Amino acid sequence: MMSAEEWATNVVAGKAIALTRSQLVSRSTDEVSNTALIGLDALIAETGIHLSAVCQPDALNDDEKAALSAITGGKDTESYLVDRLVSDLSEFAQKRIAAGQTKPVLKLRLSGAEIASDSTQIGGHLMPREENPVMGLRGVARYLHPQWARMFALQCKIIKQLRHVTGDLPIAIVIPFVRTYSDAASVHDLLAEQGLFRGKSGLQVHLMCDLPANAVMADKFLHYFDGVVIDLDHLAQLTLAIDPANDALDYDEPYNDAVLFLAERTLKKSREVNKPCELLSRSVTVQPKLQRWLSEHAVTSLICSPQ
């Protein structure tokens, strides 16, 4: 077993969940051999276009429509986003394959809590304002909502086109905020309606463990998925009722025993059924306590997403 110090030295840090376009296209083959968990909403946001602009184009004012046309070159917004992201992701995937990456080559996370209102993006103001996005209409609940059906369909279209141009690229779709077993079953129906069938040509569907419910009932939730990614920060927020935007809540060590207990349960249950389990942290540095825990539980990979 590695010590915390050895783990800190030798850990294989995955690529951030919010890789920018420039990072995608500039990664060398030496850099792309690790886990790549990529948020589709983050990549779309970098274009300057909010996903809500695709869902509610008629709600944009004339200035926004003009700005949107300038970005897309007059091209249909949906087609522009699909073509741009598929091109970037395909290039990145080919680098990973050349570096010897095995299945899945990419893990693509569908929209979760990060797609909050952002006035700097065209259409960002159309997103309902929520004090704490982690508690709101996120994940499967949003995918099932009629108002955001096009948002879900667009992300599926990107994945389908990516697999088409790369010859059924083996990827994993990562689903955040799966609150109930009904959500777990429903998301597979939604994916199938968009032509994305779990297991077809190597397509995997993984659970993003954001919620204590996911961890407590991990053995049940894992029946619906091919693997899991534990979001330590969201798990801490909802286990300890901490809002990171509230400066009055000063907790220097969010990964306390209760949070790590839930992570340990999820890790144990995934290993029992031989399904991959990875951990995600948005901390720039890995705290010593977390380092020790990762070492003690033989976890040699942490997906780092400083944002």
Side-chain angles (χ1 to χ4, degrees), residues 30 39 47 56 64 76 88-89 110 118 124-125 143 157 179 190 193 212-213 219 227 243 252 264 268 270 306:
D30 291 336
T47 67
Q56 304 177 67
E64 289 174 319
D76 172 72
D88 294 341
L89 289 168
L110 301 187
D118 189 341
H125 65 92
Y143 311 155
K157 188 174 182 179
R179 291 177 165 92
L190 291 172
E193 289 173 4
D219 52 338
D243 183 350
D252 294 331
E264 179 179 1
K268 177 183 177 182
S270 65

Side-chain angles (χ1 to χ4, degrees), residues 71-135:
I71 291 175
T72 64
K75 190 175 183 179
D76 172 72
T77 305
E78 187 170 304
S79 298
Y80 168 80
L81 291 173
V82 171
D83 291 346
R84 173 169 169 172
L85 267 68
V86 167
S87 175
D88 294 341
L89 289 168
S90 176
E91 181 178 346
F92 185 60
Q94 294 306 321
K95 288 182 180 179
R96 292 178 60 75
I97 293 171
Q101 174 66 29
T102 57
K103 299 180 181 181
V105 174
L106 299 178
K107 291 187 177 182
L108 300 176
R109 191 209 59 184
L110 301 187
S111 62
E114 281 67 27
I115 183 173
S117 176
D118 189 341
S119 59
T120 64
Q121 299 163 7
I122 298 173
H125 65 92
L126 299 175
M127 208 64 188
R129 177 69 180 174
E130 294 172 328
E131 291 301 323
N132 188 336
V134 174
M135 303 289 286

